[in-house]
Amino acid sequence: MELGLASLGALPPAPPLAGWLTRHSLSPCLNKIQNHIYSMPSLSYKVPSVTECHASLSTNYIRETSQAVDLDWENLGFGLVETDFMYVAKCGPDGNFSKGEVLPFGPIAVSPSAGVLNYGQGLFEGLKAYRKTDGSILLFRPEENATRMITGADRMCMPAPTVEQFVDAVKQTVLANKRWVPPTSKGSLYIRPLLMGSGAVLGLAPAPEYTFIIFVSPVGNYFKEGLSPINLIVEDKFHRASPGGTGGVKTIGNYALVLKAQKIAKGKGYSDVLYLDAVHDKYLEEVSSCNIFVVKDNVISTPAIKGTILPGITRKSIIEVAQSKGFKVEERLVSVDELLNADEVFCTGTAVVVSPVGSITYLGKRVEYGNQGVGVISQQLYKSLTSLQMGLVEDCMGWTVQLNQ
């Protein structure tokens, strides 16, 4: 005889999907950060018969989220595509983060008096996962993002997850959303870790509670031009950062303040804005969300990290790849005059990877670079780095982490 739900009376609450996932299918399994294989255990969970209807709902949800994604992989832009799951962990006054949970992606509850909303106490990171031709998934240098978040959290008077906690959380989130990782050479899965003061405060003070979240989105090219050259304008009114400030950490406020200049520049047809230092107004700093490189006579130069420039992980990787290929790389003050006389110019960042610059406009003067802006060196470095990130060549640098599904 079949019974309706009403005839069963009040059923006990269903096991939270996130807790079920964390306890039974996404337990930490971190032994080594770099160059090791991380597997996702098979899903198995036995529930009491009285909650079989709830278990079937969970099972159906898991089955649905394992189905193929219906996306136009050929035309991915750089915008949010809502995926299945996110990772959430909390930290109280003791400074220790709880064991996080993988939850269905969706809105979060936060007090109107949260530290992040009132005083901007927040940081974020950005990294990517790539699908290899054999179907496996690679992360690129996740421990570097973890280390950078720790540095930024210290500057913003916040606790941070350990490197191991950060990397393990990234792995859990990517594996839970593995169906959203684009096919090889069709894009990547952008990973956004976010650390924020979620506790309520009124007076100016560090928040009493912090939340660590990771969400993901499949993405294509950041600039609509793709690997085609972008056109930059040197900003001569606004500055991105000043000495002693927070320009060298990935705090959320650093990005809100570039929106005005960026909007003006894009309204005039430029791709983005290049900022100068706030003291002399003559030395290059960075683009809104990218580091900048100039090439002259086969020597590669980039502004030195001195507290006002974000220490980009792609920047660091490009420098190391270039040096491994025999190029001379200089980290130093680079003047705007050198920029205008360069042989080629390119930007680097997690979102853009390597983006060649076709032209620079400064005080009304436009300078174009040869070969339509796509220089030989930037092309070479782009191919070398992306081939490594996607697993198309052997990782002699020890930078990738493979996830087995």
Side-chain angles (χ1 to χ4, degrees), residues 60-387:
N60 288 338
Y61 187 74
I62 295 296
R63 185 178 298 116
E64 287 173 8
T65 57
S66 65
Q67 295 173 354
V69 174
D70 183 20
L71 276 183
D72 182 1
W73 299 115
E74 300 292 338
N75 295 294
L76 271 182
F78 198 92
L80 178 65
V81 175
E82 294 189 1
T83 54
D84 300 318
F85 298 102
M86 62 185 183
Y87 176 96
V88 180
K90 297 281 188 177
C91 176
D94 64 357
N96 296 315
F97 280 85
S98 64
K99 182 179 179 181
E101 291 187 303
V102 175
L103 302 169
F105 179 86
I108 59 172
V110 63
S111 169
S113 60
V116 67
L117 297 180
N118 290 263
Y119 300 116
Q121 199 182 22
L123 294 164
F124 72 92
E125 279 295 327
L127 62 158
K128 288 179 176 179
Y130 298 85
R131 191 176 297 279
K132 295 176 63 178
T133 54
D134 65 4
S136 61
I137 297 169
L138 291 179
L139 302 178
F140 183 72
R141 308 190 79 171
E143 75 288 345
E144 292 284 342
N145 295 90
T147 301
R148 188 169 66 181
M149 176 167 275
I150 291 171
T151 301
D154 179 69
R155 176 65 179 85
M156 300 300 291
C157 206
M158 305 167 72
T162 66
V163 172
E164 291 77 13
Q165 287 173 325
F166 181 102
V167 175
D168 185 61
V170 168
K171 290 172 178 176
Q172 290 189 45
T173 311
V174 172
L175 287 172
N177 292 287
K178 62 185 179 182
R179 73 187 186 121
W180 296 93
V181 182
T184 306
S185 301
K186 302 299 182 184
S188 58
L189 187 71
Y190 185 83
I191 306 161
R192 171 57 60 84
L194 176 64
L195 177 63
M196 64 180 181
S198 51
V201 290
L202 185 60
L204 179 59
E209 178 191 81
Y210 297 87
T211 302
F212 177 52
I213 297 174
I214 303 177
F215 65 92
V216 298
S217 176
V219 296
N221 293 319
Y222 182 78
F223 290 118
K224 62 181 178 58
E225 294 90 344
L227 189 58
S228 299
I230 62 173
N231 300 298
L232 301 178
I233 183 170
V234 178
E235 178 56 48
D236 61 350
K237 293 184 178 66
F238 300 107
H239 292 100
R240 177 190 168 273
S242 59
T246 58
V249 298
K250 209 167 175 66
T251 181
I252 56 178
N254 287 350
Y255 296 84
L257 61 82
V258 305
L259 297 176
K260 175 80 170 177
Q262 188 184 63
K263 181 179 180 180
I264 293 171
K266 289 189 174 182
K268 295 178 180 179
Y270 297 104
S271 307
D272 213 328
V273 175
L274 173 59
Y275 291 90
L276 300 179
D277 75 289
V279 177
H280 305 285
D281 257 338
K282 63 179 288 189
Y283 296 110
L284 310 186
E285 294 253 300
E286 60 179 270
V287 181
S288 301
S289 58
C290 318
N291 294 113
I292 190 83
F293 287 77
V294 301
V295 181
K296 184 68 174 180
D297 298 329
N298 284 333
V299 176
I300 304 171
S301 300
T302 190
I305 301 298
K306 51 180 174 59
T308 57
I309 297 171
L310 187 73
I313 294 161
T314 307
R315 172 190 182 276
K316 179 179 180 179
S317 303
I318 282 293
I319 289 172
E320 294 175 20
V321 168
Q323 290 172 333
S324 74
K325 294 184 173 301
F327 288 105
K328 180 180 180 181
V329 181
E330 298 177 342
E331 298 180 73
R332 58 177 177 82
L333 292 175
V334 182
S335 71
V336 69
D337 289 335
E338 292 179 79
L339 171 74
L340 300 177
N341 288 293
D343 296 328
E344 61 179 285
V345 179
F346 60 90
C347 301
T348 65
T350 297
V352 304
V353 187
V354 175
S355 185
V357 175
S359 74
I360 294 284
T361 299
Y362 176 55
L363 299 178
K365 177 183 178 182
R366 179 184 174 101
V367 174
E368 297 185 350
Y369 299 97
N371 195 27
Q372 297 183 326
V374 185
V376 174
I377 292 178
S378 55
Q379 274 187 308
Q380 183 179 351
L381 296 177
Y382 173 83
K383 182 177 180 181
S384 296
L385 186 60
T386 55
S387 295

